[in-house]
Structure formats: structure tokens, C-alpha cells
Amino acid sequence: MKQYLPLSLYIHIPWCVQKCPYCDFNSHQQKGEIPEKAYITHLLADLESDLARYAKAINGRTLSSIFIGGGTPSLFKPENIAYLLSEIAKKIPFSENIEITMEANPGTIEANNFSNFAQAGVTRISMGIQSFADDKLIQLGRIHNGQQAKQAISLAHSLWGNKLQSFNLDLMHGLPTQSLHQALDDLKQAIELNPPHLSWYQLTIEPNTAFASRPPILPDDDELWVIFEEGDKLLKAAGYEQYETSAYAKPGFQCQHNLNYWRFGDYLAIGCGAHGKISDVSSDTIGHIIRFSKTKHPRGYLQGNYRYEERIIPQDELAFEFFMNRFRLLEPVPKIEFETFTGLKCQDVATQINIALQKEFITESPTYWQITQKGKLFLNELLTLFLD
């Protein structure tokens, strides 16, 4: 591995006003005042530790993107986000056209905060809308209503192309007792608001959530498939291109940070429970790829105990790791990237590739592999091939 991969940074801010019943992210309900300044001090110390630990692997690379996720990062004051970003820039250089995304909850946004966050350095806002139907938002434990969601989107629109480079709406389908008409009505309202990027994904019941212990009634598989088919047609007719399993964008507005994830790029990660990946191209070991994670609970993290786990990906897992990411994207997978980013050769996965071709999960050219519509439907079965 001699080629340097793009480098991103993920920042996790764990606090929320309240925990949503479907959420399995590392989030903690706010109790009293959030220790913003103390947490930022620890974020910067965490970053400094990683920059020293992985110095040879980073080797002068610049940050191509930053994603501030949560939790609800918009609970933090804009001036504290500005300070955090300015201090990060002193520690590692930003690329010229860096994308800086921050997640925001419409229920935590005051009228002028989008502008202030943009002034702080945020170039892209990602809003957790989930639905425009008030009854569904209550079921999902959201703290905003449909009107507040539309007001937040309108505010983002007023800044788009000026202070903001882009913005995203997160929208769910397959909600408790949701009909086809209700699901498509939500999507039509989102499309009418004309965001440059739309993440449209199905609600799933995850372990260790409130919904897992008290499962709601969800649409069955046949209903879910019809919702997806009809919604996909609406999005494509409105000029959105699907580029990832649940992500649609107007041309030129794909999320660069997420693209770096799915293209098997590298990313540093700071904050409670954050996960990172670094390819150590300075190592003599081919395919020397490190995954690491940080302490989950704010209590331990704020005591300076940042690192939770670190492991080198075994060579027999590299192909699975690569394809698990790349086949989420609908674009062709260059064979040269497989060999460059993993240190493996195409012949090392020839048996698995041949089975995938026979099952019509993928197509192949001399230079790339391409996932098919059938492959998207049977993605888990496709990926399982590379676990052997």
C-alpha cells in the first residue's frame, strides 16, 4: 500500500434532550447543563493523542471532511463549535474545499442558529426530520413537530449557496402503523421542499432500544417493498440520484464524508464511542489497517480515558471489510482500489467473485465490479461470500 487514502474526522457529541425509542447510537439524555467547554477540551486532547499515535500513517495528509454527529450537536453553542473547529485546524490542516457537516435537531434550533453555525465554519447541516406527521413524530420520541421541521428547512434553504454549501434531510419510512399513502405523503413533502440531499431510510428495530423491548406494529415486508419502489420512483422523477443504499442527492451534492466511509477511506474519530479507521501505509505489513473506538460514557471520557479498543484487521477479514463498505454504494468498484487499499490481489477473491457472478449479484469488467439490482436486494448474502 503506497497510495494515501483520503482522510476525514468524525466528532461525536453524545447528549440529547431525550432518547428516541428507536435509537441505538451512543447518546445520553441531557441532565442539567452540558459541560460544553470541558468536553471540547477533552476532544482536542483526544485528537492530539491520535495525531501522535498515528503520525506515520497520517504523514502530512489533510482533512477532506469533518462530520459532527451525535447525540444532538446543535445543543452546543455556535461559538463553542467555532472554537473547536479553529483549534482542530491548528493541529491538522484542512483541505481547500473541506466539507464540515453538523447534525441538527429542528427542535433545538433557534431562528438564527443555522447562520451562526455556518459562521462558525459548518458548511453542511444534516437535519433529523424523520417525518412531517405530528403523530408519527410523537411515536418516534422526537421533540419537534412537522411545522418546526419545515421552518428549519426553510432557514437552511435561505443559507444554501451563500453560507451553507449543502444540507440534508433525514426521513424515515416503514414507521409504526404507517400506510403506503402516509409514507409517500411524507416523502412528497420532503421533495417539495427541494433539499440538495435526502437520506430516506427504513425504520429498523435495533437491540437494546425501547422499541426492541416494546415492539411497535410495523408494515410487513411486502408493504415495505412497495413503499420503497414507489418512493424511489418519486425521488428519481424529482431529479435525485440514489448513490448509496439509503442516500439520494441532486447531482454534485453527495455527502463527501459518507462517500469516504463507503469508499474505504480513512477517518480519525474523537468523542464518546466514536469509531475510526487508519491505513498505515508506512508499515511494512501489507494491508495494515487499524480500527479503533473511544470510551462510550461521558463520565469516563471527561476523566481523560479516551481509548476503548484498537485492533489490526486480520488479513482474512480485509476483503469482507472492503466490500461491506464498497457495495453499499451503487457506483462501480475499481479493482485497482481493492488491491491498493487492502494489499490483496484480485485472484485472492476469485472464487467468491465467481459465485457472486453466477448468482447475478454483481457484473464484472476488466477494471471494475458493479453491484446489480439483485445484489442490492441480497446484499447480506453477497457479503457473506467474503467471510469464507
Side-chain angles (χ1 to χ4, degrees), residues 193-331:
L193 293 163
N194 193 34
H197 190 285
L198 222 169
S199 297
W200 188 57
Y201 56 99
Q202 180 187 323
L203 171 65
T204 55
I205 306 300
E206 302 293 347
N208 303 315
T209 62
F211 273 175
S213 60
R214 297 182 299 279
I217 299 172
L218 302 181
D220 63 33
D221 288 345
D222 289 339
E223 292 172 309
L224 290 170
W225 178 244
V226 175
I227 289 171
F228 171 76
E229 275 196 318
E230 295 301 314
D232 185 66
K233 290 176 188 175
L234 289 173
L235 285 159
K236 289 174 178 173
Y240 291 91
E241 298 173 352
Q242 185 185 20
Y243 69 96
E244 188 258 332
T245 303
S246 57
Y248 293 78
K250 295 289 182 72
F253 288 98
Q254 296 94 334
C255 175
Q256 297 305 305
H257 187 88
N258 286 345
L259 278 176
N260 191 38
Y261 283 162
W262 308 133
R263 287 173 176 164
F264 210 51
D266 283 348
Y267 45 99
L268 295 165
I270 57 176
C272 296
H275 289 252
K277 168 188 171 284
I278 289 291
S279 302
D280 190 354
V281 294
S282 70
S283 172
D284 294 332
T285 305
I286 297 298
H288 188 89
I289 297 174
I290 302 165
R291 287 202 181 274
F292 60 91
S293 64
K294 301 299 174 66
T295 300
K296 290 184 178 181
H297 202 282
R299 188 183 301 111
Y301 191 85
L302 287 166
Q303 291 172 352
N305 303 317
Y306 308 138
R307 190 165 305 278
Y308 175 70
E309 186 178 44
E310 180 182 78
R311 67 186 289 263
I312 297 173
I313 301 173
Q315 190 159 349
D316 60 1
E317 294 179 17
L318 286 171
F320 173 76
E321 287 266 348
F322 179 84
F323 289 117
M324 178 179 64
N325 288 278
R326 285 305 310 235
F327 281 148
R328 280 191 63 114
L329 294 173
L330 305 188
E331 66 186 20

Side-chain angles (χ1 to χ4, degrees), residues 112-131:
N112 62 344
N113 265 7
F114 276 167
S115 179
N116 291 339
F117 283 125
Q119 191 69 32
V122 173
T123 67
R124 184 176 180 272
I125 294 284
S126 180
M127 287 175 278
I129 302 299
Q130 314 313 0
S131 177

Side-chain angles (χ1 to χ4, degrees), residues 183-200:
L184 295 183
D185 183 61
D186 256 352
L187 185 58
K188 287 174 184 176
Q189 290 186 67
I191 290 171
E192 286 172 7
L193 293 163
N194 193 34
H197 190 285
L198 222 169
S199 297
W200 188 57

